[in-house]
């Protein structure tokens, strides 16, 4: 059975792994990131990751041990302005 996927929308070019863990309420402070990463497995695009400052870009898939689902980083939709040059 496939894991459920959850999308995490970001307004910046990237977020760090610590910021993601805080946004998901897995940790409460940045100081908890290092101990968390040394205790629990975290995988970014299928590769084990322990760097709390790892930059996560749109399209990356993150799986966290003991946390249900897979988290996918996505960019916030940019509202494009349509200009009608024929008017």
């Amino acid at each position: 059975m496939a894991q459920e996927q959850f999308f995490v929308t970001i307004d910046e070019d990237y977020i760090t792994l610590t910021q993601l863990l805080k946004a998901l309420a897995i940790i409460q402070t940045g100081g908890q990131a290092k101990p968390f990463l040394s205790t629990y497995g975290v995988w970014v695009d299928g590769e084990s990751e322990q760097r709390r400052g790892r930059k996560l870009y749109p399209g990356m898939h993150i799986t966290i041990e003991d946390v249900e689902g897979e988290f996918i980083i996505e960019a916030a939709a940019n509202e494009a302005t349509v200009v009608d040059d024929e008017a």
Side-chain angles (χ1 to χ4, degrees):
M1 186 169 136
Q3 284 190 348
E4 189 171 356
Q5 295 181 331
F6 301 97
F7 292 89
V8 178
T9 305
I10 60 173
D11 293 328
E12 304 295 325
D13 292 338
Y14 66 87
I15 62 170
T16 65
L17 183 53
T18 297
Q19 290 170 321
L20 176 66
L21 294 172
K22 286 173 57 178
L24 297 174
I26 294 170
I27 61 173
Q28 283 69 47
T29 68
Q32 294 173 323
K34 191 172 183 178
F36 178 87
L37 293 171
S38 66
T39 304
Y40 295 93
V42 175
W43 295 267
V44 176
D45 291 338
E47 295 184 17
S48 180
E49 185 59 69
Q50 292 188 338
R51 295 175 291 170
R52 58 192 171 96
R54 169 70 189 263
K55 294 177 181 176
L56 305 174
Y57 295 93
M60 289 184 153
H61 295 237
I62 296 85
T63 307
I64 304 167
E65 183 179 353
D66 290 343
V67 177
E68 282 291 319
E70 175 181 48
F71 300 92
I72 301 171
I73 307 301
E74 68 177 3
N78 292 331
E79 293 185 26
T81 303
V82 177
V83 178
D84 185 3
D85 290 335
E86 296 179 24

